[in-house]
Amino acid sequence: CDGYILTGAPAGVYDSDPWIAELLTFLRAAKGRTRLAGICFGHQAMAQAFGGNVVKSPKGWGVGLHTYDVGRPPAWMDRAGAFSLSASHQDQVVELPPNATVVAGSAFCPYGLISYDDAPAISCQLHPEFTPEFSAALIERMTLPQDEATTALASLERPDDHAAFADWLGRFFDGR
């Protein structure tokens, strides 16, 4: 394949399910041979497979619309500054793999968007594929403290960058 997008999953990359070990092995074999993009669990799987570390964060759930500050944008991004996307995660990358660069992050999730310097590979903790309505439905089904759920739901009313991120993924896969 010309590339792979690894999506979210209810599992943790540190779980002992056989398919997770097989996925990590696949990622190590695919790195440098094709374009890779990871979203949420995919972000964590790529980091873990390539030598980083992922844990269930003591910070708790990241839900609602989260904003990441961009350091130096790679060529496939068309702007610096910040972007906002839907979040729904407890696990986080807490140690970068070798040859990885943080493109964007926040105080809650410092390693939020990673670029791999030794391969055409990127990964993001946030969910560019979620609509605000889908995010709201997830939050409403979660067991969260009421104030946390209320804040997360209110955040979804802010402008987001889901369409821009979709364009960035397209530019990444096109090699731009």
Side-chain angles (χ1 to χ4, degrees):
C1 292
D2 293 334
Y4 293 93
I5 297 177
L6 297 99
T7 61
V13 298
Y14 44 75
D15 290 342
S16 61
D17 298 340
W19 70 269
I20 296 172
E22 292 170 13
L23 173 63
L24 300 182
T25 298
F26 169 81
L27 287 170
R28 287 188 283 274
K31 186 179 183 190
R33 300 180 72 185
T34 190
R35 292 189 172 276
L36 300 171
I39 303 299
C40 196
F41 175 85
H43 168 70
Q44 298 156 15
M46 288 173 64
Q48 189 84 10
F50 303 152
N53 189 31
V54 175
V55 300
K56 187 173 299 271
S57 176
K59 297 175 185 177
W61 278 96
V63 291
L65 197 66
H66 282 217
T67 300
Y68 284 174
D69 293 314
V70 178
R72 179 192 287 178
W76 48 266
M77 289 181 97
D78 60 1
R79 68 173 194 240
F83 64 89
S84 299
L85 297 173
S86 296
S88 183
H89 67 95
Q90 281 184 291
D91 295 346
Q92 289 195 37
V93 176
V94 294
E95 181 182 331
L96 282 179
N99 300 310
T101 300
V102 176
V103 174
S106 66
F108 183 79
C109 188
Y111 303 131
L113 176 59
I114 299 171
S115 176
Y116 294 88
D117 305 329
D118 57 349
I122 58 172
S123 62
C124 184
Q125 181 59 66
L126 298 176
H127 285 277
E129 78 280 18
F130 284 11
T131 64
E133 296 79 16
F134 185 80
S135 292
L138 284 177
I139 293 165
E140 290 168 355
R141 287 172 175 75
M142 298 173 78
T143 305
L144 295 170
Q146 186 59 48
D147 62 329
E148 191 175 333
T150 300
T151 299
L153 289 169
S155 75
L156 297 171
E157 296 175 15
R158 296 190 331 249
D160 64 58
D161 296 294
H162 292 87
F165 201 92
D167 183 57
W168 296 341
L169 278 175
R171 292 167 56 94
F172 167 75
F173 277 104
D174 285 344
R176 294 186 269 160

